[in-house]
Amino acid sequence: MSDKAQVNLTGVKQSKGVWLVKVPKYLSEQWDKAPEKGEVGKITIGKKLGKTEVSFSLDAELTARGGVGENDASTQVPREHPFTMHTAGGQTLAVFSQGDGDEIRLEGMVVHRAECRPVVNDDYMRLKKLQLKESTKPQRLSQQLERAVTTIFKPRADHDFNLEHDKKKKTDGKMVRAERQVVLDMLFSAFEKHQYYNIKDLVDITKQPVTYLKEIIREIGVYNSKGTHKSTWELKPEYRHYRSAEEEEEMQTA
Amino acid sequence: MTSLGSSSSSSSTEYTVRVPKNNSKKYNLMAFNSGDKVNCSTWTQARMERDMSARRIYGEEEAAEGAAGSEFGKKQREESRRKKYGIVTREFKVEDQPWILKVNGKAGKRFKGIKKGGVTENASYYIFTQCPDGAFEAFPVHGWYNFTPQAKHRTLTAEEAEEEWGRRNKVVNHFSIMLQRRFREQERGGEDDDDENDKSGKKKKKGGRKGGDLRIHDLEEDLEMSSDDSDSSVGDDGEAKTKGKKDSGKGKAKKKKRKSSDKDALEDSDDGDYEGLEVDYMSDESSSDEEPEKAKQSKGEDHPKGIDEASESEEESEEEKPNEEETKEEEEEEEGKKTPVQTEKKKKKDSSGESETSDDSDIDGETASALFMKKRTPPKRGGRGSAGSSRTGSRPGTPSIDSASTSSTLRAAASKLEQGKRPTAGPSTDSPAAKRLKMEPSSQSPAPSGKTTPQPPSGKSTPSSSDVQLTEEAVRRYLIRKPMTTKDLLKKFQTKRTGLSSEQTVNVLAQILKRLNPERKNVNDKMHFYLTE
């Protein structure tokens, strides 16, 4: 899980120069909808009057915001996006990639930074309006409930839950003392799972009356009154043969 | 898939942009600061791993799950407990942990890359790479990490840095800071011998580096005096050990520092040692560099101390005095000690010309005469003042002490002076009544009989003025000496000293005056009595 790797420096060695382009969110969303091949548009690099101009134009299919294939005129994403280019500037930016198998590769150095800007036209304005509307909607709404909430406890003489509980207890009856050996087996299997147990939990597991259970456990176990595992029962050392976690793992893998 | 399209004035080429879908690789950015001058192409090898040191803090230490060491239902209990108390523990996300980048093996550089937040929130970054076929491929950037180089050399901790910052104006030798720190660390770790060896070894290695245990201190840091001394001594040892070439300038500076530290150590106890120096005012120059410093410092110390001790002594002598007067008094005192007669003579002389009533004040520990004195030659005072003060360790303190010893002789002289003085100085406006009064009581004891002759210590002149009797004889004496108002007379016979209550004193005094029937004179609109013999 921890990524430790020798960094593959091939990219840098080849002095691959890359561009870092900042793209608006809506555009990247559209790109996510691109077909399998991955083509999203075309980039035009031209020299106009000495200046380098880069522009990106989105594929027509991707302009629809609703989904691929829809042609909803109202939510059209603008197509033309000129890039504003800067050089790398003060920072030295490098790109590294993390592969699946903890492989880290240094892909290259950033030579140019660009920002993908939309052309401000009506389409764009419409888009922005929609975005704003969405963002101003509150995330939490108030709903009116059809039925009243019934989980609140009204004061009663005796709650339903309590009554049921008592009835259950009566019908189930008192816990019957099972055979000593049976109980011991149950205890041992329980202690195999965990080392420390509360007496209440043991009662729950074994379904034995407390006094009887205590008798039995006093034979095989010891009570922890202090320390981290307070007021818990654990097996006596001679009965214990826990394996540490690593050993268990080894056993499992073997 | 390049296609040409161009207008006449521009040439442009088109490239397709692809956003690959099946991306198993996650692209991240590694940002370095330009100041670090990182050139990735120079790297021969690099290792990168996550910095998991935060896991101890964040991750809950899970007890063994199942079998050994675990409790039944522990997890649930812990969870319910956390919910009850509203403890929200932030998950330890491996993704967000910083990177540690090691370049060129163990000896190379180390970088720490911390994730920059908020990069992917409002805009997405893409990496455009050009493929061999001319098309661009855009990969989204998953995360942005700012890599900073990690210092391999030792640095100061925050507390140490704060300390050093406070001393930045005083410490000249900055190399010593780290040296000291290393030394301290070694002390904690190893034995002394090792430390010494290491220390000396390091010093030799460093050559010109100074044994950095010297510290310069200002007057304000009196508290650290002891530590300074020890440090300076250690520093001296270090210096001795250092064999490297010493910058002469630095050496000098060090010597001065040492001296100053020594000076600091001395100043505490021997405050008055330098008072006797010729340096009276700051402008004085002396041959060596030290003296002015010392003098300056001593002076500087003197003044605050002087005032303090002055107040102390004043309590003793039941008076308040400005320092100047003290000096004058002391000077007088000193002389008085040596040659009482001479003093008296001088005083006599002075009395004619100047206000040597400083003696009075000396003796009495009172400044009444000081008032008279003030008007007289200050420079002369100053000249002798320092001399006088030099004799006395703490100026204010001495008068009272000295006065006791010399009082017998001085009192006589003082009283003589008084006689001479009073008519001339008379009601000196400067003097608050208290001062004059205080002068008087002391002059009671040395009851001078005659005006002109300075009374030799006789039975009459008793140093202690506690046994003052309100007798006709005493009143007569006073009135002969000088014209006094009733108030003055009353003050002479203080209830403390006579043992009478104020009413009684008034009555008795009135009777005595009736009997004596002194002559009256109006001075300053006040009725003065006096007698002539």
Side-chain angles (χ1 to χ4, degrees):
Chain A
M1 200 161 89
S2 61
D3 322 278
K4 277 188 200 204
Q6 188 78 5
V7 179
N8 187 330
L9 293 169
T10 49
V12 159
K13 294 294 181 197
Q14 294 165 14
S15 299
K16 265 211 260 175
V18 296
W19 288 2
L20 177 70
V21 182
K22 191 171 182 180
V23 173
K25 258 284 183 308
Y26 67 87
L27 197 59
S28 60
E29 277 172 19
Q30 298 301 107
W31 287 4
D32 288 339
K33 296 183 198 147
E36 196 47 55
K37 243 187 5 170
E39 274 193 33
V40 291
K42 291 196 182 15
I43 212 171
T44 332
I45 303 175
K47 241 185 186 319
K48 225 178 226 170
L49 308 164
K51 274 203 212 164
T52 316
E53 276 196 13
V54 184
S55 172
F56 169 78
S57 66
L58 190 64
D59 269 355
E61 301 138 0
L62 292 171
T63 51
R65 269 190 96 217
V68 187
E70 277 182 42
N71 240 334
D72 194 356
S74 60
T75 55
Q76 285 273 333
V77 166
R79 290 195 64 196
E80 289 299 318
H81 294 89
F83 276 22
T84 42
M85 308 280 289
H86 333 274
T87 51
Q91 282 183 310
T92 320
L93 294 167
V95 183
F96 73 98
S97 67
Q98 248 183 296
D100 274 338
D102 279 355
E103 199 223 327
I104 300 173
R105 283 194 60 189
L106 207 59
E107 298 288 336
M109 307 283 294
V110 171
V111 285
H112 280 111
R113 288 183 74 155
E115 285 162 23
C116 188
R117 294 184 175 280
V119 175
V120 183
N121 51 21
D122 290 339
D123 268 349
Y124 182 69
M125 285 310 181
R126 250 178 276 142
L127 172 72
K128 278 292 155 188
K129 220 197 295 187
L130 280 169
Q131 274 186 348
L132 268 169
K133 278 191 191 155
E134 277 176 40
S135 62
T136 50
K137 265 190 224 157
Q139 282 162 329
R140 296 166 189 248
L141 324 159
S142 17
Q143 264 183 326
Q144 191 174 40
L145 298 170
E146 300 101 24
R147 291 177 64 239
V149 178
T150 49
T151 51
I152 302 167
F153 288 108
K154 290 186 183 168
R156 300 240 153 178
D158 200 3
H159 289 286
D160 292 337
F161 173 75
N162 275 348
L163 290 166
E164 280 179 34
H165 187 71
D166 291 338
K167 246 185 244 170
K168 205 166 141 246
K169 267 194 160 171
K170 263 202 205 152
T171 49
D172 286 350
K174 297 211 178 169
M175 293 178 272
V176 182
R177 289 188 184 195
E179 284 292 305
R180 202 182 186 87
Q181 201 51 47
V182 176
V183 177
L184 277 170
D185 287 339
M186 275 199 280
L187 284 174
F188 280 125
S189 55
F191 276 108
E192 264 175 40
K193 292 195 212 104
H194 297 274
Q195 188 175 351
Y196 301 98
Y197 278 91
N198 223 336
I199 189 68
K200 283 194 195 156
D201 297 327
L202 285 171
V203 167
D204 205 30
I205 293 169
T206 57
K207 307 247 184 299
Q208 300 293 300
V210 181
T211 42
Y212 182 52
L213 189 62
K214 269 202 190 157
E215 267 183 51
I216 297 173
I217 199 164
R218 216 168 278 140
E219 275 176 42
I220 59 159
V222 65
Y223 184 71
N224 264 323
S225 53
K226 291 177 260 236
T228 50
H229 311 274
K230 255 207 290 190
S231 55
T232 55
W233 285 92
E234 59 172 341
L235 285 177
K236 285 189 184 164
E238 54 265 25
Y239 292 99
R240 275 187 244 160
H241 48 271
Y242 289 117
R243 286 187 220 94
S244 62
E246 289 134 357
E247 285 182 36
E248 278 197 25
E249 277 179 29
E250 280 177 29
M251 283 208 25
Q252 284 174 17
T253 50
Chain B
M1 281 183 276
T2 58
S3 55
L4 314 173
S6 53
S7 49
S8 51
S9 58
S10 65
S11 58
S12 52
T13 40
E14 253 188 31
Y15 306 90
T16 338
V17 177
R18 278 201 303 267
V19 179
K21 280 275 175 184
N22 50 349
N23 244 341
S24 53
K25 284 205 281 189
K26 289 197 195 134
Y27 281 75
N28 300 291
L29 268 178
M30 193 191 281
F32 296 95
N33 209 354
S34 67
D36 300 331
K37 306 247 187 318
V38 176
N39 194 355
C40 293
S41 39
T42 59
W43 296 354
T44 49
Q45 50 143 331
R47 286 195 71 83
M48 197 146 97
E49 62 189 17
R50 289 278 185 190
D51 178 15
M52 299 295 212
S53 54
R55 179 170 258 165
R56 294 179 277 109
I57 307 165
Y58 271 110
E60 300 107 20
E61 290 291 343
E62 293 294 334
E65 297 169 26
S70 73
E71 263 187 54
F72 178 78
K74 177 96 178 175
K75 260 194 181 165
Q76 291 94 321
R77 217 180 300 144
E78 283 298 320
E79 202 187 307
S80 60
R81 185 171 171 273
R82 252 181 271 124
K83 275 197 184 158
K84 173 179 160 193
Y85 290 120
I87 301 168
V88 178
T89 42
R90 264 181 282 162
E91 267 181 55
F92 175 83
K93 281 183 236 155
V94 187
E95 279 290 301
D96 296 343
Q97 297 310 307
W99 286 103
I100 299 228
L101 170 68
K102 292 174 205 165
V103 179
N104 294 339
K106 198 104 211 293
K109 286 193 182 168
R110 278 190 100 205
F111 294 90
K112 184 163 181 176
I114 299 167
K115 193 169 190 180
K116 183 168 142 177
V119 171
T120 47
E121 273 171 19
N122 294 317
S124 6
Y125 282 94
Y126 280 82
I127 298 284
F128 276 48
T129 54
Q130 197 161 30
C131 296
D133 65 348
F136 279 90
E137 281 202 333
F139 302 98
V141 166
H142 208 72
W144 186 306
Y145 293 86
N146 288 320
F147 278 79
T148 48
Q150 281 193 310
K152 286 200 165 164
H153 53 269
R154 221 166 285 194
T155 51
L156 300 173
T157 66
E159 295 93 30
E160 287 172 355
E162 289 265 359
E163 239 182 275
E164 295 299 329
W165 177 253
R167 297 195 282 124
R168 71 191 186 283
N169 288 324
K170 300 160 199 164
V171 175
V172 170
N173 181 16
H174 291 284
F175 296 123
S176 64
I177 296 170
M178 290 313 293
L179 205 64
Q180 267 178 294
R181 186 163 175 272
R182 213 168 289 138
F183 181 53
R184 252 180 269 140
E185 280 177 22
Q186 283 169 354
E187 265 186 6
R188 280 182 228 135
E191 300 168 18
D192 285 348
D193 292 338
D194 295 353
D195 295 345
E196 287 299 318
N197 291 337
D198 289 341
K199 185 176 155 208
S200 55
K202 279 205 173 86
K203 286 194 175 179
K204 281 177 192 162
K205 227 198 290 177
K206 297 229 170 119
R209 302 279 166 88
K210 300 302 161 189
D213 296 310
L214 277 182
R215 297 189 193 194
I216 315 172
H217 286 272
D218 278 352
L219 295 173
E220 297 102 42
E221 299 187 19
D222 286 345
L223 299 167
E224 301 178 13
M225 222 50 104
S226 55
S227 62
D228 296 346
D229 286 346
S230 60
D231 279 353
S232 58
S233 62
V234 175
D236 290 343
D237 294 343
E239 276 185 79
K241 281 182 194 163
T242 318
K243 285 180 189 169
K245 58 174 163 99
K246 279 191 183 170
D247 202 5
S248 58
K250 269 193 178 173
K252 255 196 218 158
K254 277 210 147 178
K255 278 187 195 157
K256 278 208 172 162
K257 289 180 215 162
R258 206 189 317 158
K259 280 178 186 167
S260 61
S261 67
D262 289 350
K263 211 189 309 173
D264 287 348
L266 288 175
E267 270 196 40
D268 238 357
S269 48
D270 304 319
D271 187 22
D273 272 1
Y274 308 108
E275 289 182 29
L277 293 181
E278 304 89 22
V279 181
D280 196 12
Y281 303 104
M282 299 304 207
S283 56
D284 270 18
E285 307 237 348
S286 45
S287 52
S288 77
D289 288 344
E290 291 187 43
E291 288 189 10
E293 290 179 42
K294 284 185 190 167
K296 258 192 212 172
Q297 295 208 342
S298 64
K299 269 234 179 253
E301 292 254 28
D302 287 349
H303 288 299
K305 279 198 180 157
I307 292 169
D308 284 349
E309 295 183 65
S311 54
E312 283 174 21
S313 67
E314 283 159 11
E315 288 167 14
E316 289 176 26
S317 50
E318 302 173 17
E319 284 248 320
E320 287 186 14
K321 280 189 250 193
N323 280 344
E324 308 169 16
E325 288 147 22
E326 302 272 311
T327 40
K328 295 165 201 168
E329 292 150 23
E330 283 164 30
E331 149 212 350
E332 304 308 315
E333 260 183 56
E334 172 189 26
E335 297 170 6
K337 251 187 189 172
K338 291 171 190 171
T339 49
V341 178
Q342 281 178 8
T343 332
E344 288 170 27
K345 283 193 188 161
K346 192 185 90 202
K347 282 177 186 163
K348 241 203 208 162
K349 240 195 298 172
D350 287 346
S351 69
S352 54
E354 328 224 317
S355 57
E356 292 305 290
T357 35
S358 58
D359 281 350
D360 291 349
S361 18
D362 252 0
I363 308 155
D364 311 337
E366 291 137 8
T367 9
S369 39
L371 330 164
F372 314 128
M373 247 186 348
K374 249 188 196 172
K375 300 172 188 171
R376 313 303 167 162
T377 53
K380 196 174 171 187
R381 297 267 165 257
R384 281 188 288 166
S386 52
S389 58
S390 67
R391 192 182 52 82
T392 59
S394 51
R395 280 179 275 143
T398 36
S400 42
I401 304 161
D402 283 292
S403 61
S405 53
T406 60
S407 55
S408 53
T409 54
L410 287 171
R411 253 171 233 246
S415 55
K416 180 60 211 127
L417 286 167
E418 263 188 345
Q419 293 171 12
K421 263 299 112 180
R422 294 229 181 105
T424 56
S428 155
T429 47
D430 289 0
S431 70
K435 287 193 180 168
R436 199 187 305 175
L437 294 173
K438 288 188 186 170
M439 201 175 53
E440 319 270 51
S442 46
S443 51
Q444 286 170 9
S445 14
S449 50
K451 268 190 198 175
T452 50
T453 51
Q455 294 289 317
S458 59
K460 283 185 192 168
S461 61
T462 46
S464 63
S465 48
S466 52
D467 49 343
V468 169
Q469 293 297 322
L470 177 46
T471 59
E472 190 181 328
E473 188 60 49
V475 177
R476 183 194 289 274
R477 255 186 279 133
Y478 290 139
L479 294 179
I480 285 171
R481 250 197 265 153
K482 166 186 170 175
M484 299 177 77
T485 63
T486 45
K487 223 177 182 183
D488 292 348
L489 281 169
L490 273 172
K491 284 181 192 166
K492 275 289 173 188
F493 301 101
Q494 284 180 350
T495 54
K496 264 194 264 181
R497 301 203 173 158
T498 61
L500 304 168
S501 76
S502 48
E503 275 189 17
Q504 282 178 322
T505 322
V506 171
N507 289 339
V508 175
L509 195 60
Q511 285 175 3
I512 293 172
L513 283 174
K514 271 191 209 151
R515 263 182 270 145
L516 283 178
N517 206 10
E519 294 179 37
R520 291 145 190 248
K521 184 169 78 174
N522 234 334
V523 180
N524 274 4
D525 291 338
K526 279 201 198 145
M527 184 63 63
H528 284 68
F529 301 112
Y530 69 99
L531 283 170
T532 51
E533 289 252 336

